[in-house]
């Protein structure tokens, strides 16, 4: 049993555990990998009002960064229409702010929790809150406004419109601390096939913990538990089965864990965890779970209530006790309970108001019919936060029992901890004064606002303050612009719709857009006396070109290198490689390492063409010439076919790990143990070698060739930008600030700058300079990062797959790949639908395209 629930893992369960981001253009694999591992939280800028409205006062609203686009583009404009006199300033709560907002299960955790609450609640008047943030501790500490007086005088707020289970969701200690907005029911979810295989009946509402224990023992296998109830959900699980609250009946409730049924449940659960048949951690593939109903989007699963009830994640809206305008804050808070679009924040969540449920069209729902019915029943019978008051301290009891403490003593200790924390929280109330920075009415600008979008491939922005400082300084010294609207665009579903709303964007590949959507930058670069093409490292500007024009402004590069293990090379008796590592030495090392490893010595976590093309270039014949636009395929050259066969034979012989490449989104695999060699991208040379177990080395060089490849982080400007010169100078300014982004600066002058020296130190700068020299070697062969892009690479990658995996004739397959790539390119001249063109070039490529990419084709 872990000490505390993991917040980011919990967010993943709210999102169903998976995110799929689809973009039917030439997606770059690096950004694609970033988009598909991600936990589901967004961030952008503020809500801009229309000049048609005349606001007389302002309040602020804080929302999680994942929800900013929804609030900015949908929720607040609608509120503005009906409340033209009230301006709402949108304030962002980053991922990091939530990490310490975990309900305290110990005395040590209380201060962290309350400090995090104080930080949160001081940011805005009104707060849209994720589940499991509000508790007796932070309400008794005085951080939230008691809504009871406001609710009591609000004749328009009909409690009969709220699902009965939620009408008192946040009522305790004589106050009402929030309004419920959305609920995600938590139910028993099971895999019928697994239960059938174990000859088990399906769970019913009458099942007891004994029944679940019996099932868990039969379902457990290979040291994997048979049942899961996460630490977040254990309090609800115990509360339902115990049939009794964890609080006494006093007006200011106190914890009460002296419940015979509870003692029995906690002891039995702890014994089952020791036995290894149940878990309160986060695991995948467990056949029996008490979890969120959105798991039933997998139609192979089924669900049921637990003893006639359900748990619940409740999203809510609360008001800071520091607000200076409680009436306006309450007006906004009530409005937020009426917005059906808020139910789109995560699949399978439901509004708590019947009137809103009736408006809500569940466009992203994929629950089967029986699960939809179960969801509604579960909502009607769900436990609210008030029903689980003090329940989070049971995690401490479970932990103590697991260490050998008697059950009654562990529960008593947990109750003592809860009482102590409550007293400490009440004592804080008299010492604090919550102050919310006043929202300021926007000033009408002269139209000189530039919209700047930042895309990092991540879900949060830890250095937002640094970015904002650069924006502010730029505005101060650039009279042509009145305001930069800074929009962080997280990698989550819909991010591709946000990017074209910007004037200019940094961090997203310009290659995702046709040239008619982009602004050619050659005139701006040529007119810039501070831009020197000789200052740009190596062939970086080649990556910024298409059809003879420059569309990107490079900021940093991440060269492809090999990470090698000191231990493995020592065990194999091989000298550690350096920058003069030749192909022959590389092949010899692979053979010697193969003798002491089970997996292939060189492991590719994601199989894509770049490492293979680098090795082919080292052998002396690269299959693609990337110095031309579009790249020239040389797949029919006899020398290229011969070299490709030699390199791919390394995979056939098991020296390099290989999985199919022609899969559109790429295939990945994980080694059974850390391998001797891996392909990585160099971003921070210091962190790459921080473990002292590994070092970095370049790809092997050939007799007359030095192969190089790198990913370039850059910015670009949309053709619709009203002030392209402002965008240009902003992007150029960003390139001078290596503290803002990862990677090796793309300019010699920036590598040599004092800022880079301070960030990377002498050794790091020396590493960058070595790679800069390599990237400017006279015999270099440039291999584009992720090759030809997803669509075109399918044909060449399929040729490689068929040779390695099926034993096909490589020469014939490469000739076919060249022919089909040419046909695909011809199609794209008149059709911008890449899937249509792929199928027109070769209908059999359908086998290599995912179903969601094919759509209805």
């Amino acid at each position: 049993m872990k000490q505390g629930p993991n917040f980011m893992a919990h967010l993943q369960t709210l999102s169903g555990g998976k995110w799929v981001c689809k973009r039917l253009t030439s997606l770059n694999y690096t950004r694609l990998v970033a988009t598909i591992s991600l936990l589901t939280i967004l961030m952008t800028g503020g809500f801009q009002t229309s000049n048609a409205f005349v606001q007389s006062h302002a309040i602020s609203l804080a929302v999680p960064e994942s929800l900013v686009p929804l609030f900015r583009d949908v929720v607040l404009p609608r509120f503005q229409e009906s409340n033209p006199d009230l301006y709402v300033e949108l304030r962002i709560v980053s991922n990091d702010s939530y990490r310490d907002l975990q309900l305290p299960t110990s005395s040590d955790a209380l201060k962290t929790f309350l400090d995090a609450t104080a930080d949160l609640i001081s940011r805005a008047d009104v707060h849209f809150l994720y589940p499991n943030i509000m508790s007796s501790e932070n309400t008794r500490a005085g951080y939230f406004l008691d809504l009871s007086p406001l609710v009591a005088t609000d004749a328009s707020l009909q409690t009969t419109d709220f699902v009965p289970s939620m009408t008192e969701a946040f009522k305790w200690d004589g106050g009402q601390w929030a309004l419920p907005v959305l609920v995600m029911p938590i139910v028993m979810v099971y895999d019928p096939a697994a239960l059938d295989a174990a000859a088990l009946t399906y769970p019913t509402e009458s099942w007891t913990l004994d029944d679940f224990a019996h099932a868990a023992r039969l379902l457990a296998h290979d040291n994997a538990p048979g049942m899961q109830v996460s630490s977040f959900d254990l309090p609800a699980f115990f509360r339902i089965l115990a049939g009794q609250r964890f609080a006494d009946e006093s007006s200011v409730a106190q914890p009460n864990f002296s419940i015979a049924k509870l003692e029995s449940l906690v002891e039995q659960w702890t014994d089952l965890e020791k036995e290894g048949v149940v878990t309160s951690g986060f695991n995948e593939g467990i056949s029996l779970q008490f979890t969120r109903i959105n798991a039933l989007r997998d139609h192979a699963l089924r669900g049921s209530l637990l003893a006639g009830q359900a748990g619940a994640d409740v999203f809510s809206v609360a008001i800071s006790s520091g607000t200076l305008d409680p009436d306006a804050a309450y007006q906004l808070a009530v409005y937020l309970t009426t917005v059906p679009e808020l139910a789109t924040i995560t699949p399978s969540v439901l509004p708590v108001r019947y009137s809103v449920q009736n408006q809500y069209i569940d466009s992203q729902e994929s629950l089967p019919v029986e699960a939809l019915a179960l969801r509604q029943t579960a909502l009607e019978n769900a436990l609210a936060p008030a029903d689980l008051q003090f329940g989070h301290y049971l995690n401490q009891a479970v932990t103590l029992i697991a260490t050998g403490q008697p059950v009654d003593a562990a529960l008593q200790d947990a109750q003592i901890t809860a009482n102590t924390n409550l007293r400490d929280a009440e004592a804080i109330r008299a010492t604090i004064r919550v102050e919310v920075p006043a929202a300021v009415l926007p000033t009408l600008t002269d139209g000189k606002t530039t919209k700047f979008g930042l895309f990092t491939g991540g879900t949060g922005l830890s250095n937002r303050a640094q970015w904002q400082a650069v924006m502010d300084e730029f505005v101060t010294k650039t009279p042509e612009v009145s305001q930069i609207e800074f929009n962080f665009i997280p990698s989550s579903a819909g991010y591709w719709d946000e990017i074209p709303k910007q004037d200019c964007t940094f961090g997203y590949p310009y290659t995702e857009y046709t040239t008619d959507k982009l602004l050619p930058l050659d005139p701006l670069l040529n007119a810039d006396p501070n831009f020197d093409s000789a200052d740009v490292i190596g062939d970086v500007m080649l990556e910024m070109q298409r059809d003879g024009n420059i569309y990107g402004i490079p900021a940093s590069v991440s060269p492809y290198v090999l990470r090698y293990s000191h231990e493995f090379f020592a065990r194999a008796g091989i000298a550690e490689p350096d920058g003069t590592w030749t192909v022959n030495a590389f092949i010899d090392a692979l053979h010697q390492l193969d003798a002491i490893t089970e997996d292939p010595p060189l492991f590719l976590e994601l199989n894509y063409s770049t490492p293979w093309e680098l090795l082919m270039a080292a052998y002396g014949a690269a299959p693609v010439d990337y110095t031309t636009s579009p790249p020239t395929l040389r797949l029919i050259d006899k020398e290229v076919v011969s070299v490709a066969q030699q390199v791919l034979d390394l995979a056939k012989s098991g020296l390099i790990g290989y999985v199919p490449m022609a899969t559109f989104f790429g295939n990945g695999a994980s080694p059974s143990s850390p391998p001797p060699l891996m392909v990585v991208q160099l971003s921070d040379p210091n962190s790459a070698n921080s473990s002292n177990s590994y070092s970095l080395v370049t790809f092997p060089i050939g007799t007359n060739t030095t192969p190089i490849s790198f990913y370039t982080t850059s910015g670009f400007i949309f053709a619709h930008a009203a002030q392209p010169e402002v965008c240009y100078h902003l992007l150029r300014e960003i390139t001078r600030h290596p503290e803002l982004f990862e990677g090796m600066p793309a300019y010699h002058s920036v590598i040599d700058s004092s800022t880079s020296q301070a960030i990377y130190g002498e050794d790091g700068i020396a590493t960058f300079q070595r790679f800069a020299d390599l990237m400017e070697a006279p015999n270099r062969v440039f291999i584009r990062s992720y090759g030809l892009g997803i669509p075109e690479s399918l044909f060449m990658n399929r040729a490689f797959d068929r040779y390695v995996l099926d034993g096909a004739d490589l020469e014939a397959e490469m000739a076919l790949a060249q022919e089909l790539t040419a046909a695909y390119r011809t199609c794209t001249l008149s059709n911008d639908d890449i899937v249509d063109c792929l199928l027109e070039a070769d209908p059999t490529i359908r086998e290599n395209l995912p179903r969601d990419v094919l759509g209805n084709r």
Side-chain angles (χ1 to χ4, degrees):
M1 175 71 188
K2 293 182 173 64
Q3 275 285 350
N6 181 281
F7 176 74
M8 298 312 293
H10 179 53
L11 283 182
Q12 184 170 343
T13 66
L14 287 179
S15 301
K18 299 178 182 177
W19 298 269
V20 179
C21 299
K22 297 179 285 186
R23 172 71 172 163
L24 296 186
T25 58
S26 56
L27 274 171
N28 176 278
Y29 276 126
T30 300
R31 292 308 179 209
L32 177 66
V33 172
T35 61
I36 64 177
S37 61
L38 313 193
L39 217 315
T40 53
I41 304 187
L42 306 168
M43 185 195 313
T44 67
F47 171 58
Q48 301 298 316
T49 63
S50 166
N51 293 350
F53 297 127
V54 180
Q55 292 107 350
S56 61
H57 59 295
I59 57 171
S60 54
L61 169 66
V63 301
E65 46 189 27
S66 63
L67 308 182
V68 172
L70 175 63
F71 275 81
R72 183 196 64 208
D73 299 336
V74 178
V75 178
L76 293 183
R78 192 175 300 165
F79 177 77
Q80 187 72 75
E81 290 174 6
S82 56
N83 300 274
D85 63 329
L86 181 59
Y87 169 68
V88 180
E89 180 184 334
L90 198 58
R91 295 177 179 172
I92 299 167
V93 181
S94 67
N95 297 352
D96 291 340
S97 297
Y98 285 105
R99 296 185 188 278
D100 293 331
L101 279 169
Q102 298 185 40
L103 300 180
T105 59
S106 67
S107 298
D108 292 339
L110 179 67
K111 184 179 186 303
T112 299
F113 176 67
L114 292 182
D115 286 348
T117 301
D119 176 68
L120 175 73
I121 212 66
S122 299
R123 298 186 184 200
D125 299 290
V126 183
H127 294 260
F128 185 85
L129 297 176
Y130 280 136
N132 298 311
I133 288 177
M134 184 172 291
S135 71
S136 298
E137 292 87 351
N138 50 20
T139 58
R140 291 192 188 184
Y143 291 116
F144 292 93
L145 183 71
D146 180 6
L147 306 184
S148 298
L150 294 164
V151 172
T153 57
D154 184 2
S156 65
L157 189 67
Q158 300 295 321
T159 57
T160 55
D161 189 31
F162 287 79
V163 175
S165 65
M166 293 293 123
T167 55
E168 298 189 352
F170 294 95
K171 289 183 178 180
W172 55 74
D173 297 343
Q176 179 168 347
W177 308 105
L179 297 175
V181 179
L182 305 167
V183 172
M184 171 73 76
I186 300 171
V187 298
M188 293 306 309
V189 173
Y190 58 91
D191 182 354
L195 270 66
D196 290 344
L200 286 165
T201 59
Y202 300 158
T204 68
E205 295 184 21
S206 64
W207 271 33
T208 66
L209 187 52
D210 288 334
D211 297 310
F212 289 116
H214 172 69
R217 290 188 176 99
L218 293 179
L219 293 169
H221 61 91
D222 298 332
N223 297 319
M227 179 180 175
Q228 173 180 287
V229 181
S230 77
S231 51
F232 271 101
D233 304 325
L234 269 178
F237 185 75
F238 290 146
R239 166 70 175 81
I240 294 173
L241 292 179
Q244 188 172 338
R245 290 168 55 92
F246 308 132
D248 61 22
E249 300 300 324
S250 59
S251 58
V252 179
Q254 299 300 317
N256 176 27
F257 298 154
S258 300
I259 305 168
K261 185 68 177 292
L262 177 63
E263 290 186 12
S264 175
L265 289 169
V266 173
E267 182 174 31
Q268 188 175 358
W269 178 264
T270 309
D271 288 343
L272 291 170
E273 278 208 302
K274 289 179 181 178
E275 190 178 335
V277 298
V278 303
T279 180
S280 55
F282 289 90
N283 300 70
E284 294 185 356
I286 294 182
S287 304
L288 183 60
Q289 302 181 57
F290 183 59
T291 191
R292 278 131 206 91
I293 202 166
N294 61 6
L296 297 180
R297 288 184 296 157
D298 182 342
H299 287 214
L301 303 178
R302 296 291 183 270
S304 72
L305 296 183
L306 174 66
Q309 292 187 284
D313 283 323
V314 185
F315 297 79
S316 63
V317 57
I319 299 176
S320 170
S321 62
T323 183
L324 299 178
D325 195 343
D327 291 329
Y330 177 74
Q331 181 182 354
L332 175 59
V334 172
Y335 165 76
L336 295 179
T337 69
T338 69
V339 182
E341 287 82 3
L342 285 177
T344 64
I345 65 175
T346 189
S348 308
V349 75
L350 265 178
V352 301
R353 298 185 72 157
Y354 290 119
S355 59
V356 184
Q357 290 181 27
N358 294 335
Q359 300 175 57
Y360 174 47
I361 300 174
D362 213 344
S363 59
Q364 59 177 334
E365 194 55 73
S366 58
L367 290 176
V369 174
E370 59 270 24
L372 290 172
L374 175 64
R375 180 179 63 170
Q376 190 66 44
T377 304
L379 177 55
E380 301 283 344
N381 295 276
L383 295 180
D387 299 312
L388 296 172
Q389 196 176 14
F390 314 126
H392 48 282
Y393 289 98
L394 293 178
N395 281 300
Q396 176 189 333
V398 171
T399 301
L400 293 173
I401 296 167
T403 63
Q405 189 165 331
V407 178
D408 56 349
L411 286 170
Q412 185 178 11
D413 283 352
Q415 184 170 316
I416 292 171
T417 298
N419 278 315
T420 300
N421 281 359
L422 292 170
R423 286 195 300 270
D424 291 345
E426 290 164 355
I428 289 174
R429 187 185 195 97
T431 66
I432 68 162
R433 180 183 177 186
V434 179
E435 295 183 356
V436 176
V440 180
L441 287 171
T443 56
L444 296 180
T445 70
D446 55 6
K448 295 182 179 180
T449 296
T450 294
K451 294 182 178 180
F452 170 75
L454 172 63
F455 183 85
T456 64
T459 58
L461 186 61
S462 60
N463 64 339
R464 168 175 276 272
Q466 289 179 298
W467 276 94
Q468 191 62 60
V470 171
M471 301 291 122
D472 294 342
E473 181 183 3
F474 177 78
V475 170
T476 300
K477 65 182 183 182
T478 309
E480 295 80 13
V481 62
S482 299
Q483 180 182 358
I484 298 293
E485 182 181 311
F486 176 35
N487 298 316
F488 174 74
I489 302 171
S491 178
S492 185
Y495 72 87
W496 49 84
D497 294 324
E498 290 296 311
I499 293 173
K501 296 177 184 178
Q502 315 304 315
D503 293 308
C504 41
T505 297
F506 181 85
Y508 195 73
Y510 76 88
T511 51
E512 296 303 308
Y513 301 96
T514 54
T515 54
D516 62 306
K517 301 291 194 302
L518 304 171
L519 183 74
L521 302 180
D522 307 73
L524 291 166
L525 288 165
N526 293 335
D528 184 357
N530 297 316
F531 177 77
D532 179 5
S533 59
D535 190 32
V536 185
I537 294 169
D539 298 303
V540 169
M541 292 308 296
L542 281 175
E543 288 281 62
M544 302 294 101
Q545 297 180 25
R546 188 196 292 176
D547 300 332
N549 291 319
I550 295 173
Y551 291 99
I553 296 178
S556 68
V557 296
S558 298
Y560 287 83
V561 296
L562 293 171
R563 188 184 72 167
Y564 69 91
S565 163
H566 298 292
E567 177 188 353
F568 275 103
F569 273 70
R571 284 172 52 195
I574 311 171
E576 293 191 2
D578 58 23
T580 62
W581 204 16
T582 64
V583 167
N584 290 336
F586 169 73
I587 301 301
D588 182 60
L590 288 182
H591 282 288
Q592 294 186 62
L593 291 167
D594 187 48
I596 62 170
T597 59
E598 295 182 7
D599 290 322
L602 174 56
F603 202 90
L604 304 177
E605 285 189 300
L606 183 69
N607 199 18
Y608 54 102
S609 65
T610 304
W612 301 100
E613 293 183 65
L614 283 165
L615 291 175
M616 292 174 195
Y619 269 75
V624 182
D625 179 2
Y626 292 104
T627 63
T628 64
S629 181
T632 301
L633 272 68
R634 301 177 56 229
L635 304 184
I636 58 176
D637 293 6
K638 295 291 185 182
E639 184 183 10
V640 171
V641 174
S642 174
V643 163
Q645 183 168 339
Q646 294 177 64
V647 172
L648 293 172
D649 281 346
L650 299 174
K652 279 192 165 187
S653 62
L655 295 177
I656 301 179
Y658 194 96
V659 293
M661 285 196 288
T663 59
F664 201 84
F665 286 154
N667 267 348
S670 298
S672 59
S673 59
L677 286 164
M678 292 187 73
V679 178
V680 298
Q681 287 178 279
L682 174 68
S683 56
D684 182 347
N686 299 322
S687 64
N689 298 322
S690 60
S691 67
N692 295 320
S693 299
Y694 293 89
S695 287
L696 301 177
V697 67
T698 59
F699 267 76
I701 61 177
T703 304
N704 298 306
T705 57
T706 299
I708 59 166
S709 184
F710 46 86
Y711 178 79
T712 308
T713 300
S714 62
F716 65 91
I717 304 172
F718 281 106
H720 64 244
Q723 292 183 291
E725 295 87 356
V726 171
C727 275
Y728 170 78
H729 288 294
L730 175 60
L731 292 173
R732 287 281 292 137
E733 181 65 23
I734 289 170
T735 67
R736 302 183 184 100
H737 290 270
E739 74 275 13
L740 297 181
F741 44 81
E742 290 186 344
M744 169 178 155
Y747 305 85
H748 292 286
S749 59
V750 181
I751 290 179
D752 295 336
S753 70
S754 58
T755 303
S756 293
Q757 296 280 347
I759 296 171
Y760 296 107
E762 184 177 341
D763 290 342
I765 295 299
T767 300
F768 282 158
Q769 289 171 338
R770 284 198 299 272
F771 279 101
D773 292 341
L774 181 71
M775 292 168 65
E776 295 180 343
N779 64 347
R780 66 187 179 276
V781 178
F782 169 57
I783 304 298
R784 173 157 290 158
S785 174
Y786 291 95
L788 297 167
I790 288 177
E792 290 192 0
S793 68
L794 282 174
F795 300 115
M796 181 177 73
N797 289 349
R798 186 176 62 177
F800 295 164
D801 287 351
R802 287 175 172 175
Y803 174 71
V804 174
L805 302 174
D806 302 329
D809 182 274
L810 182 60
E811 184 175 8
E813 292 295 336
M814 291 178 70
L816 177 62
Q818 179 139 333
E819 175 187 341
L820 295 177
T821 304
Y824 167 80
R825 288 180 175 178
T826 300
C827 174
T828 58
L829 295 176
S830 57
N831 186 349
D832 60 3
D833 190 312
I834 66 169
V835 177
D836 281 351
C837 285
L838 285 169
L839 295 174
E840 180 178 318
D842 180 11
T844 68
I845 202 70
R846 173 182 298 272
E847 301 172 1
N848 300 82
L849 302 180
R851 184 170 57 186
D852 54 352
V853 169
L854 282 168
N856 296 323
R857 296 176 180 85

